[in-house]
Amino acid sequence: KDRLQSIALERVSFAYTPGEPVLREVSFTAQQGQTVALVGPTGAGKTSVLNLLQRFYDPDSGRIRINGVDLRHWDIRRLRGMTALVTQEPVLFSATLRENIFARPDQADEATVTRILQAAHCEALVQRLPLGLDTHLEKGGASLSSGERQLITIARALARDAQLILLDEATSYIDSQTEAVIHKALHNLIAGRTCVLVAHRLSTARSADRILVLHQGRVAEAGDHRQLMERRGLYWRLHRQ
Ligand code: CTP
Ligand code: MG
């Protein structure tokens, strides 16, 4: 199995439309097990960083390296195999809940299933559904709340034991109780894994090893929570809004 040691962006610039750059010379590194949080106003380029890390697009200039190797030289299936994406709009399959979480349900023993449901805080959901894990999710989970769908994608990422977690936190309104549950599930997902997370709630960014404040595609500030608060710049001002 591939081991992820490091990811690095080196002066990455990118435009969806030529002449309209959305990322400008963005650099950061994350070592195995570290979390980098991206914060900043809407349109700052946060999700675009995740798009580049999945190779939906390639940078116009600069480099992205994983384990020191240029991302363009990685086999795309190997890359996707070690990456789990937890998005704003989770996509569920019209299949059972079990099949939505475990790629090979027959290979997941009971102890593993229990551990993953616990870590992803999916137990209440499983109990609520008429056939539990074997409930068929109609229309990709249309009857579930967005918070529940997000917990399921967290369980899926745990089941795959992905090495690199790319997380785009939901902007949609969720009540504070659900938010707390998701927060705990995310904490379990991120622990010990390498993670690039787009944080809309500043509380999620707080414990990251490194926080980048993006502004108009540039890294305006970088540091951990304490350093950025002491700086009394953009990050500090975001907290006062
Ligand atoms: N953009 C674009 N084409 C796309 C995606 C995004 O032109 N396919 C533009 C957006 O309009 C925006 C810029 O790229 O001006 C950055 O977008 P994005 O990275 O998605 O911004 P975020 O920081 O993720 O914004 P939000 O907080 O709203 O998710
Ligand atoms: Mg976004």
Side-chain angles (χ1 to χ4, degrees):
K1 188 169 179 177
D2 284 315
R3 283 278 139 212
L4 186 141
Q5 280 129 26
S6 65
I7 67 173
L9 269 72
E10 301 168 1
R11 303 181 63 169
V12 165
S13 297
F14 172 68
Y16 293 99
T17 311
E20 294 172 27
V22 299
L23 295 176
R24 307 165 197 243
E25 308 225 327
V26 171
S27 299
F28 67 83
T29 60
Q31 303 300 321
Q32 199 280 325
Q34 289 190 325
T35 295
V36 172
L38 307 172
V39 304
T42 183
K46 304 179 297 295
T47 299
S48 300
V49 171
L50 299 191
N51 289 343
L52 293 184
L53 280 168
Q54 293 172 91
R55 281 210 71 198
F56 291 156
Y57 306 90
D58 285 325
D60 297 325
S61 64
R63 287 270 175 285
I64 301 179
R65 294 183 200 275
I66 292 193
N67 298 353
V69 176
D70 192 320
L71 205 55
R72 287 175 298 186
H73 298 151
W74 271 79
D75 179 79
I76 198 93
R77 281 163 61 200
R78 260 180 85 197
L79 179 70
R80 300 258 155 87
M82 60 189 229
T83 308
L85 182 68
V86 180
T87 55
Q88 292 173 325
E89 295 302 332
V91 179
L92 299 184
F93 315 114
S94 292
T96 64
L97 177 57
R98 191 189 300 277
E99 288 160 341
N100 265 282
I101 297 175
F102 301 97
R104 298 195 191 93
D106 49 315
Q107 287 178 20
D109 59 89
E110 212 172 313
T112 306
V113 171
T114 306
R115 177 177 58 79
I116 286 167
L117 293 181
Q118 235 165 32
H121 287 263
C122 284
E123 289 160 311
L125 169 66
V126 170
Q127 277 181 9
R128 187 173 70 73
L129 294 173
L131 296 176
L133 271 176
D134 296 308
T135 306
H136 192 87
L137 302 183
E138 302 297 335
K139 295 183 195 132
S143 62
L144 303 175
S145 72
S146 70
E148 288 168 335
R149 287 200 296 272
Q150 197 150 36
L151 292 180
I152 293 168
T153 58
I154 291 169
R156 185 190 289 165
L158 282 165
R160 285 181 46 203
D161 195 20
Q163 304 265 307
L164 175 60
I165 307 295
L166 302 178
L167 173 63
D168 210 336
E169 193 176 47
T171 37
S172 49
Y173 174 79
I174 43 176
D175 62 272
S176 58
Q177 207 181 335
T178 308
E179 186 181 325
V181 170
I182 290 175
H183 199 90
K184 281 191 252 174
L186 286 177
H187 182 85
N188 292 337
L189 174 62
I190 290 169
R193 296 190 169 85
T194 312
C195 177
V196 179
L197 86 83
V198 173
H200 289 283
R201 279 175 278 280
L202 290 163
S203 59
T204 313
R206 205 181 172 96
S207 57
D209 297 288
R210 198 164 177 74
I211 300 166
L212 306 188
V213 184
L214 286 182
H215 185 69
Q216 296 177 350
R218 278 183 209 284
V219 179
E221 290 174 5
D224 66 19
H225 175 77
R226 197 178 50 83
Q227 290 165 339
L228 289 177
M229 290 306 277
E230 278 173 7
R231 201 185 144 110
R232 296 198 158 225
L234 268 176
Y235 183 78
W236 177 75
R237 281 204 292 278
L238 285 173
H239 277 264
R240 286 165 54 91
Q241 277 170 10

